[in-house]
Amino acid sequence: MIFNRDWSRTELIFIALFVILYLIYLGRTFWYAYQLKTSARSAALKFFLRSTAMGALIIGLLEPSFGDPERELQAVGKDIFLVVDVSRSMDATDVQPSRLQRIKFELNRLINTYPSDRFGMIVFSSGTYLQCPLTFDRNALTIFIESLNTQMLTDQGTAFQPALEMALDKQSTDTRSNASKVILLISDGEDFSSVNTKTLRAIRRQGIHLLCLGVGTREGSRIPSNGSYVKDEDGNFVRTMLQSESLEKIASEAGGSYFEITSVRNDFPQLSQSIQQIAGRLIDQRKVSITSNRYYYFVILALILLSFDIMITVRTFRL
């Protein structure tokens, strides 16, 4: 048995008061019995019951615990990099309320679904920026997700290659098992550059899971801008459409999977399930002290003893 509290002046004062007051009580009881020429033997039994109850209460104050005071805990999880397209086309409203707003909603749900996994975030258009390194901090992740907007990067257009290279580099920096590493590429599929096959093969060869999520519709929509819509150099309204072929090709060459969010289709639950099926790795292992306070055992014992005490009377005279 281990005590979670040390002896203090409080326990000593209780014991001293009990002993002094009980000695006074016993002295008075036996004095009356002597004067009346009778026996007060039951007082000895009551003393045993009361002193044992008092001892149980004192032990309860010291917060005793039983069993193994240490336990080995293991944290198992995955490293997931969110690679999010923040080009102007992500403001399109063919997926309500907009492509990017819908993604922000789904990502908040995702990070809360897997609390033991580390998440990082890379944003890109034609340029790429590390928005958040891998972290367990859900509050920070929520802030970064909410801050996503299409004005984050000044250069416009969309280029998958730099974003995938950065994600691969960040995941490869950690030499632990790649089987539990995920890159989630989120875009409407409009890519104005070409993806290097070597990068996709490196992702596949290293065992990193690449999941691609296409957002938008094949019918597409115009891109809102300052109360109007984005126009091209000829003054025509720009129309953006989901180009799933490019994302499907990337996923296929990297040995990954492709999912979609459209106005009538939502594959995000399937994507989340795919992440769940990926085996996690041992992130942390440590021994921790377990406090199992069992004070109530002794309080219950004291109550039982005091109940017996109530039923026993001390007779100091006879009729």
Side-chain angles (χ1 to χ4, degrees):
M1 183 166 58
I2 298 174
F3 296 106
N4 298 313
R5 289 182 66 248
D6 294 328
W7 281 87
S8 66
R9 185 178 298 175
T10 302
E11 288 78 20
L12 295 176
I13 290 174
F14 283 151
I15 293 173
L17 287 174
F18 176 80
V19 171
I20 293 170
L21 293 175
Y22 212 86
L23 286 175
I24 294 173
Y25 165 76
L26 287 176
R28 191 180 66 170
T29 301
F30 282 105
W31 170 254
Y32 287 147
Y34 174 76
Q35 294 293 323
L36 296 171
K37 300 186 184 307
T38 185
S39 173
R41 287 176 295 179
S42 59
L45 177 59
K46 292 179 76 68
F47 173 73
F48 171 77
L49 292 173
R50 291 173 182 176
S51 59
T52 305
M54 184 64 184
L57 290 174
I58 293 297
I59 293 175
L61 284 175
L62 297 177
E63 300 179 4
S65 61
F66 309 116
D68 188 0
E70 286 189 338
R71 185 176 299 172
E72 186 173 80
L73 298 181
Q74 294 182 345
V76 178
K78 298 175 279 290
D79 289 342
I80 303 172
F81 252 109
L82 309 173
V83 184
V84 185
D85 184 354
V86 291
S87 60
R88 292 285 295 277
S89 60
M90 293 297 286
D91 281 334
T93 57
D94 51 352
V95 175
Q96 293 293 323
S98 74
R99 295 174 181 176
L100 188 57
Q101 290 298 324
R102 179 61 179 275
I103 287 304
K104 289 162 68 172
F105 171 76
E106 298 291 356
L107 290 182
N108 274 316
R109 291 176 58 190
L110 182 68
I111 64 172
N112 291 316
T113 301
Y114 300 104
S116 61
D117 294 341
R118 292 196 304 175
F119 284 85
M121 184 183 298
I122 294 171
V123 295
F124 72 97
S125 54
S126 61
T128 303
Y129 177 72
L130 177 63
Q131 179 78 344
C132 176
L134 289 168
T135 180
F136 289 108
D137 191 340
R138 292 301 183 269
N139 292 328
L141 286 166
T142 299
I143 293 172
F144 284 124
I145 290 172
E146 290 301 321
S147 68
L148 291 174
N149 64 81
T150 58
Q151 306 299 321
M152 297 180 68
L153 302 178
T154 56
D155 45 351
Q156 289 303 311
T158 308
F160 294 155
Q161 178 63 29
L164 289 173
E165 282 183 349
M166 179 179 286
L168 175 61
D169 178 66
K170 297 300 180 183
Q171 291 286 41
S172 301
T173 301
D174 190 342
T175 58
R176 290 175 288 187
S177 173
N178 289 339
S180 60
K181 297 179 180 179
V182 180
I183 297 174
L184 174 55
L185 175 64
I186 303 172
S187 175
D188 52 25
E190 293 183 346
D191 185 12
F192 298 99
S193 68
S194 58
V195 177
N196 193 327
T197 305
K198 290 183 179 179
T199 302
L200 300 177
R201 288 178 179 173
I203 293 173
R204 185 169 191 166
R205 183 175 62 254
Q206 293 185 31
I208 299 173
H209 302 266
L210 176 62
L211 306 178
C212 295
L213 178 65
V215 187
T217 63
R218 288 166 179 79
E219 297 76 20
S221 70
R222 290 179 291 184
I223 305 172
S225 177
N226 298 323
S228 182
Y229 298 95
V230 176
K231 296 181 180 180
D232 60 18
E233 296 178 353
D234 299 325
N236 300 316
F237 290 117
V238 174
R239 193 169 189 86
T240 174
M241 294 170 285
L242 171 63
Q243 299 182 15
S244 59
E245 295 80 9
S246 59
L247 292 171
E248 289 180 30
K249 182 179 179 181
I250 289 172
S252 176
E253 292 187 7
S257 303
Y258 172 75
F259 305 89
E260 269 187 17
I261 292 180
T262 69
S263 58
V264 295
R265 174 181 170 185
N266 183 8
D267 289 344
F268 212 89
Q270 290 90 323
L271 184 150
S272 180
Q273 188 175 9
S274 295
I275 293 176
Q276 183 179 16
Q277 292 173 351
I278 296 172
R281 62 174 170 78
L282 183 63
I283 295 175
D284 190 19
Q285 182 176 358
R286 63 184 66 183
K287 288 187 176 181
V288 297
S289 297
I290 304 298
T291 302
S292 302
N293 196 337
R294 297 291 185 264
Y295 72 93
Y296 47 87
Y297 289 169
F298 297 91
V299 173
I300 293 172
L301 174 61
L303 291 175
I304 293 173
L305 293 173
L306 291 175
S307 298
F308 283 118
D309 176 66
I310 293 172
M311 293 185 289
I312 298 174
T313 58
V314 178
R315 295 179 180 177
T316 57
F317 63 91
R318 293 192 185 98
L319 293 176

